[in-house]
Amino acid sequence: PIPISFAVLLLPFVRMACCFPLKLAEPELIVGKPKMKIGFVGAGMMANALAEGFVTKGLCAREDITMSDAFPAALEKAKQKGFKITTDNKKLTADNEVVFLSVKPQVVNAVLGEVKAGWSPSKLLVSICAGVSIKTFQDTLGPVKVARVMPNTPAMVGAGASAISMSKECGTADADLAKRLMEGVGLAVVVEEKHLDAVTGVSGSGPAYIYMVIEAMSDAGVKQGLPRDVATGLAAQTVLGSAQMVISTKTHPAVLKEQVTSPGGTTIAAVAALEETGLRRAMIAAVEAATEKSKELGKPKL
């Protein structure tokens, strides 16, 4: 035990500590992540979703994100969210270490012409432009570091699925950075560029397939007498919960399906109806169609 006389001596210092509480470090310093400046050429919904994800995950500060866009309304929206804005793509490129290209494929070449003057070998270009190959960027900018990303719209609620392909100029640190950034809005995996068309078919276009499943289940519930909001809520939560089961348990979907399917029960009757009407066949055809369309869009225009 501390002697009473010593405790009395300590009392003024205790009071002083109470008056001047310890100031905690900023979250960025606590997690030990370096500050980085990120620019977005194109300030659409996906760019805003990514930027918000980066800030939420502590990957960069809000004031370290700059956005440019051809539409004043998009810039005003970005400004209201606390991001810096500009209409000068050359300056945006010069001022940021990581530059996201989030524009329509048909304007990519024009944008590359604007950013070329501000480019340096140390910068990382991250493209979320659908169907635009790494070669397209390097034909204009030279052998620069490129991360080509295929995200999907659930990134807007932090539940996206993104695939990333890195150019050969990128090192391990560049791949780690690109993956860490995209993990700010959901799952991120690194794949070879040749697989990005298939990624488009599975996850890029995939949300539309699942929305159709939810809509069909909701319609069926309404047909059986359920109120629309109840039917839609139950269908959406069932899809969400089932997906979480696959992710959390790392169990094959077929095994999880069997766990719900009792002999002679309601589920096996429903599964038989789905097989008879071709759900599996329809899903495979949808992924194949989207994959082939992605390949077609990626071909150089003559």
Side-chain angles (χ1 to χ4, degrees):
I2 301 175
I4 294 177
S5 58
F6 186 62
V8 171
L9 289 173
L10 285 176
L11 188 57
F13 297 98
V14 173
R15 286 175 176 167
M16 188 180 297
C18 293
C19 294
F20 300 97
L22 179 66
K23 184 179 178 181
L24 295 177
E26 294 296 322
E28 186 176 40
L29 298 178
I30 291 173
V31 297
K33 289 172 181 172
K35 294 183 73 172
M36 73 177 87
K37 292 186 175 181
I38 300 176
F40 284 86
V41 179
M45 289 191 297
M46 187 60 73
N48 276 274
L50 292 173
E52 290 289 351
F54 301 160
V55 173
T56 301
K57 293 288 184 178
L59 298 173
C60 65
R62 191 173 293 274
E63 60 269 22
D64 289 328
I65 294 176
T66 305
M67 294 192 176
S68 71
D69 202 281
F71 296 97
L75 288 179
E76 182 59 31
K77 186 176 180 180
K79 184 179 179 180
Q80 289 174 0
K81 290 185 175 183
F83 302 126
K84 292 179 181 177
I85 61 171
T86 182
T87 56
D88 187 342
N89 287 333
K90 179 182 174 182
K91 186 176 188 307
L92 179 146
T93 304
D95 291 346
N96 294 278
E97 303 100 65
V98 180
V99 178
F100 276 76
L101 230 59
S102 52
V103 298
K104 298 293 185 184
Q106 56 266 34
V107 301
V108 164
N109 286 330
V111 170
L112 291 178
E114 295 175 5
V115 305
K116 183 177 182 179
W119 207 267
S120 66
S122 64
K123 296 183 185 295
L124 177 63
L125 171 65
V126 184
S127 166
I128 58 173
C129 306
V132 182
S133 69
I134 290 173
K135 183 179 182 299
T136 299
F137 300 110
Q138 294 186 332
D139 282 346
T140 300
L141 300 179
V144 299
K145 298 189 292 186
V146 181
R148 182 182 166 193
V149 180
M150 182 67 236
N152 65 7
T153 54
M156 287 187 272
V157 293
S162 302
I164 309 164
S165 179
M166 311 296 297
S167 69
K168 61 182 176 57
E169 291 75 15
C170 295
T172 303
D174 299 307
D176 289 344
L177 172 60
K179 190 169 185 288
R180 184 153 53 93
L181 287 170
M182 296 313 299
E183 283 176 342
V185 291
L187 173 73
V189 298
V190 178
V191 301
E192 294 180 45
E193 188 177 21
K194 66 182 181 181
H195 294 311
L196 286 181
D197 292 315
V199 168
T200 301
V202 174
S203 58
S205 300
Y209 322 154
I210 304 306
Y211 297 145
M212 291 179 71
V213 168
I214 292 172
E215 181 187 29
M217 290 174 68
S218 176
D219 285 346
V222 170
K223 185 179 180 182
Q224 298 303 319
L226 289 176
R228 173 63 72 182
D229 60 336
V230 172
T232 301
L234 289 172
Q237 182 61 38
T238 298
V239 169
L240 177 63
S242 301
Q244 194 59 56
M245 285 282 288
V246 173
I247 294 168
S248 298
T249 67
K250 296 181 172 57
T251 303
H252 194 285
V255 175
L256 293 173
K257 181 192 71 176
E258 286 302 307
Q259 293 174 1
V260 197
T261 309
S262 304
T266 58
T267 305
I268 190 60
V271 168
L274 289 172
E275 294 288 8
E276 185 179 343
T277 52
L279 174 67
R280 187 186 305 270
R281 201 163 56 248
M283 283 293 184
I284 292 173
V287 171
E288 287 180 347
T291 301
E292 291 306 312
K293 187 65 175 178
S294 179
K295 290 178 181 178
E296 178 187 323
L297 292 173
K299 290 178 181 177
K301 303 296 185 292
L302 299 177

